[in-house]
Amino acid sequence: MAEFVTLLRRLKEDSGYTYRQLELRAARRGDVLARSTIADTLRRDSLPRADTLIAFVRACAPAQDIRAWLAARNRLAAATTPTFDIGGANAGAPVPRQLPAPPALFIGRADELRLLDAAVGQPDPLSRTVLISAVGGAGGIGKTSLVLRWAHLHADQFPDGQLYADLRGFGPDLTPVPATVTLRGFLQALGVPPASVPHSVDAQAALFRSLVAKRRMLVLLDNVRDTDHVIPLLPGSPTCTVLVTSRHQLRGLTVTHGARTLTLDRLSEAEARELLGAHLGQARALQHRSALDALVRHCGGLPLALAIVAARAATHPDHPLDGLVRELRDTTVRLDALTTGELRADLRSVFSWSCRALSPPAGEVFDLLGLVPVVDISLPAVASLTATSAQRAQELLRELEDTSLLRQHAPGRFRMHDLVHLYSAQRGRTQQGGGDREAVRRLVDFYLHTASAADRLLDPRRHPLVLGEPAPGCTPVTLTDASMAMSWFDAEHERVLESQRLAMQRLWYPQVWQLARSLVTFHARRRQVTDQMAVWHMGLTAAEQGGITSARAMAHRYLGQAHSQNGERDEGLRHLRLAVDRAREAGDAAELARGHYALAVAADHAGDPRQSLVHALQALAEFQDLADTVEIARVLNAIGWACAQLERNEEAQDSCMRALTLFRQHGHPDGEADTLHSLGLIAHNTGQQHAALAYYRQALAVYHDVGNTRGEADCLDSLGGLHESLGQNREAHDAWQQLVVLLRAQGRAAEASQVVQRLSLLPL
């Protein structure tokens, strides 16, 4: 064999290629050649597998006679394979029953067990391939418990035995168990005398396949490092079934051997509660029900975390559980609490074994993800966080996904388990030191610049913010139209709120109030009043700390509007009056005009159309001085609405028609829809019911097109009332039923209940 390997070495030297170059040349031909595999073969004087030999020779010298090389290799393989009688030498060997004991407590996972039934099922002698199912998931998620549970439930399907090996691909040991060690154990369990076990891994694998051929056996390979780790251990017989567990996704096993994959996620809250209650005992669980619920929440559905909590509680069976709850409530020490003092029951250690498998660049991404309060993040955001291209970020995220440190729960969106994110945060602070500032700034700028651009698409006439250039390495998303902008806000709204809080922690005051400003149109269309108040309370603090008077005026104005919309009239008026005062102090005529307009709207919400008209007329004069056409149109609509409430219908009609013309000229759909709604009310008041119906329907169509659910809800309310007044009860019912759906979607449960009451009184 040494002479054969010497010839292989000479072939490589003559080719002039490095191992990496040979690997790439093989890939271009469609061959699989792992450089580590061939390097190890040539270094150890071991016999390469046939497929490895073919790929290697083709990559070195395509003109070589492959058949001659294979013939020489097969002669050597035959010479090193024992010739004992397979049928006789091990005929009296015991049937191996190597499965460890099933988990003492096993709760839930009914769907996963059914999926394993479907993936593995009864071995089929007519099948051409071995049945393989690979169970993946994060450390501590319960992969081994699941497969052992399934294996014991179906042990009678494998009368010829069950083989088990923990390959230690992820654990305290620095290196996994080599395939040759596992194969030697399997062969001896199958009756092969130790002296007859071949030396090379290929010969061992060949003998193993021969021994299990046509046998109905289960092979359970636990804690596998990667696909290469497991391939030598696979039977070749379709009567065999293989279960594999790994934190790695083992995509290669699916490609090369048709393995079916099952990825485990966290337990449901009900399952987690049942599991922890079973560990603690029903009496103790019932006695400390609220503490039990808190412990379940803090463990995030991770079975290992639940088991650790139960083990710690068991050491002091007479103690209340409140002490454990306090430890776990504090996120800065939660991982310290999730340990029993032993490595395999220490959550931080379990997570560290996954990180050990990462390349340095992927490890850095993992650390950076922990530095921001985000457990759900998009690919473009990660690209900006890491100052890399989207393609490179995708590669690194795939490596994290492959080791089950995060998962891609939707295309282009990635999520970490809460406890993994805590570990990432602690590791990131240790690894990054103080060098995280630039990364966090890139992420904040990503959300700020993208949100600002999205807001301008929703309202092109809005005065743009002066943002400056994003931080180097930050690449905001390019959005092309209003529909795309709304979709982006819907997907990223929570992330934008988180980035504002992050900017506030870093004392980046301009970013704080500018992020609030970028959310105004979206919050208005989705009627996110609570979120609007939250971002502007923070925005006001930032403007005050930054000493920017105009920004303080803006913050007071938006806070006043939000409080007024929320029914908090006095607080709303207080902020709006402060907005006017701050605008005067700053000499900001535009902000002063907007303050008066906001006071007009607040007075209307308070049911005072006369005061509303006073402020609206004052705002009109100021906007006319500024020649701001869109704002003039907005105020004209407010004047028309107030006049309609006062039954000054001719003035109302004239003012609103002027507003409608201006909005349409300047392409402002929100303002157009608001004005159509006003014209519908005016037509209704003057007995022009068909015209009112037409206006309301036009307004509804525009509101729907731009995604303005707030305006859509208000207009449906008016439309239902009009139908009711006309005796069109079926049409009124349909409009108000749609209104109930929208109000509930906006979190306006009390208003929805009032509409439901109206519906119950409506005769059909």
Side-chain angles (χ1 to χ4, degrees), residues 353-383:
W353 301 333
S354 295
C355 290
R356 190 189 295 160
L358 297 175
S359 66
E364 185 174 353
V365 172
F366 181 76
D367 297 340
L368 288 175
L369 288 172
L371 296 175
V372 294
V374 174
V375 296
D376 179 297
I377 195 166
S378 68
L379 174 60
V382 175

Side-chain angles (χ1 to χ4, degrees), residues 276 280 284-285 287-299 305-306 308-310 312-313 316 319-338 419 422:
L276 186 55
L280 296 174
R284 195 176 186 191
Q287 184 182 359
H288 303 284
R289 184 173 299 174
S290 61
L292 181 75
D293 291 342
L295 292 174
V296 166
R297 285 195 305 273
H298 296 323
C299 289
L306 293 163
I308 291 171
V309 166
R312 290 197 57 197
H316 300 288
H319 290 192
L321 299 176
D322 295 341
L324 264 176
V325 172
R326 284 193 295 273
E327 283 188 69
L328 291 173
R329 184 182 296 126
D330 186 349
T331 58
T332 62
V333 297
R334 185 176 299 170
L335 292 180
D336 296 327
L338 290 172
L419 294 174
L422 275 181

Side-chain angles (χ1 to χ4, degrees), residues 165-178 221-226 229 245-248 344 353-354 356-357 403:
D166 179 358
L167 302 186
R168 301 178 189 173
F170 298 87
D173 299 327
L174 294 178
T175 57
V177 176
L221 304 172
D222 196 15
N223 199 7
V224 169
R225 182 59 171 259
D226 52 31
H229 194 191
T245 74
S246 180
R247 301 186 193 186
H248 200 280
R344 293 189 181 275
W353 301 333
S354 295
R356 190 189 295 160
T403 50

Side-chain angles (χ1 to χ4, degrees), residues 663-683:
F663 280 133
R664 284 176 169 170
Q665 285 176 350
H666 291 273
H668 197 288
D670 287 285
E672 178 185 347
D674 288 342
T675 307
L676 287 167
H677 189 188
S678 299
L679 287 167
L681 174 67
I682 295 165

Side-chain angles (χ1 to χ4, degrees), residues 102-107 145 149 275-280:
L105 291 174
F106 187 88
I107 302 296
S145 293
R149 173 75 168 184
L275 179 59
L276 186 55
H279 275 295
L280 296 174

Side-chain angles (χ1 to χ4, degrees), residues 503-754:
M504 193 67 184
Q505 291 170 9
R506 301 288 175 134
L507 308 182
W508 296 333
Y509 298 129
Q511 282 80 0
V512 173
W513 66 262
Q514 287 172 352
L515 278 162
R517 168 69 159 66
S518 298
L519 285 163
V520 166
T521 308
F522 176 75
H523 281 166
R525 289 190 180 182
R526 290 288 187 258
R527 207 178 189 279
Q528 303 276 75
V529 178
T530 302
D531 287 328
Q532 180 77 338
M533 284 192 287
V535 298
W536 277 111
H537 274 296
M538 198 179 300
L540 176 60
T541 300
E544 289 174 340
Q545 294 294 327
I548 308 171
T549 306
S550 292
R552 291 171 66 192
M554 182 192 302
H556 279 299
R557 174 167 58 86
Y558 283 123
L559 273 173
Q561 290 173 321
H563 282 290
S564 297
Q565 290 172 13
N566 206 40
E568 301 167 14
R569 180 185 177 188
D570 292 343
E571 184 68 5
L573 287 175
R574 183 180 75 83
H575 279 292
L576 291 175
R577 288 167 182 149
L578 285 170
V580 169
D581 292 343
R582 297 294 174 266
R584 285 200 186 99
E585 290 175 18
D588 190 332
E591 192 56 48
L592 180 63
R594 295 187 193 104
H596 280 296
Y597 170 73
L599 282 166
V601 174
D604 173 67
H605 288 164
D608 189 349
R610 293 185 185 281
Q611 189 65 23
S612 176
L613 185 58
V614 169
H615 285 293
L617 289 170
Q618 190 166 352
L620 178 63
E622 291 162 349
F623 280 127
Q624 285 174 333
D625 288 342
L626 295 167
D628 191 327
T629 307
V630 171
E631 295 292 357
I632 289 171
R634 203 189 306 271
V635 177
L636 284 171
N637 179 46
I639 291 171
W641 183 269
C643 287
Q645 306 295 320
L646 295 168
E647 298 186 2
R648 293 160 55 174
N649 293 312
E650 188 173 341
E651 295 174 65
Q653 175 82 12
D654 177 66
S655 187
C656 286
M657 289 304 296
R658 289 168 59 197
L660 183 63
T661 299
L662 290 174
F663 280 133
R664 284 176 169 170
Q665 285 176 350
H666 291 273
H668 197 288
D670 287 285
E672 178 185 347
D674 288 342
T675 307
L676 287 167
H677 189 188
S678 299
L679 287 167
L681 174 67
I682 295 165
H684 189 180
N685 287 346
T686 56
Q688 303 174 64
Q689 313 301 5
H690 291 294
L693 279 174
Y695 280 130
Y696 285 152
R697 286 169 178 161
Q698 289 178 62
L700 269 177
V702 178
Y703 281 135
H704 184 75
D705 286 345
V706 299
N708 190 335
T709 54
R710 173 198 58 80
E712 199 173 352
D714 292 344
C715 196
L716 281 168
D717 192 20
S718 299
L719 182 61
L722 176 56
H723 280 305
E724 183 187 32
S725 70
L726 294 173
Q728 299 170 348
N729 291 346
R730 171 56 62 186
E731 290 81 355
H733 181 277
D734 291 345
W736 283 342
Q737 190 61 52
Q738 293 179 58
L739 174 59
V740 169
V741 174
L742 276 178
L743 290 174
R744 286 174 174 166
Q746 295 171 14
R748 300 160 69 180
E751 294 171 72
S753 297
Q754 293 172 4

Side-chain angles (χ1 to χ4, degrees), residues 331-484:
T331 58
T332 62
V333 297
R334 185 176 299 170
L335 292 180
D336 296 327
L338 290 172
T339 181
T340 63
E342 298 179 1
L343 284 179
R344 293 189 181 275
D346 181 302
L347 210 58
R348 187 182 283 107
S349 297
V350 170
F351 292 156
S352 73
W353 301 333
S354 295
C355 290
R356 190 189 295 160
L358 297 175
S359 66
E364 185 174 353
V365 172
F366 181 76
D367 297 340
L368 288 175
L369 288 172
L371 296 175
V372 294
V374 174
V375 296
D376 179 297
I377 195 166
S378 68
L379 174 60
V382 175
S384 285
L385 175 70
T386 57
T388 189
S389 67
Q391 180 179 354
R392 178 58 175 158
Q394 176 79 65
E395 293 171 358
L396 296 172
L397 288 169
R398 186 179 295 118
E399 188 175 341
L400 295 178
E401 187 181 12
D402 282 346
T403 50
S404 300
L405 287 166
L406 54 69
R407 67 186 184 92
Q408 188 171 190
H409 65 94
R413 297 204 69 85
F414 300 84
R415 178 177 294 154
M416 272 186 180
H417 188 282
D418 298 350
L419 294 174
V420 175
H421 187 256
L422 275 181
Y423 175 70
S424 172
Q426 292 185 7
R427 190 180 124 117
R429 284 193 293 270
T430 302
Q431 299 289 335
Q432 296 291 323
D436 64 305
R437 179 183 175 86
E438 293 79 8
V440 175
R441 181 58 179 269
R442 289 192 298 268
L443 188 70
V444 169
D445 276 9
F446 167 81
Y447 287 116
L448 172 59
H449 284 260
T450 307
S452 180
D455 183 58
R456 290 274 290 153
L457 285 169
L458 298 181
D459 188 353
R461 304 299 166 181
R462 182 183 291 282
H463 296 284
L465 292 167
V466 182
L467 299 176
E469 292 296 319
C474 170
T475 310
V477 174
T478 301
L479 305 170
T480 57
D481 56 40
S483 175
M484 187 180 292

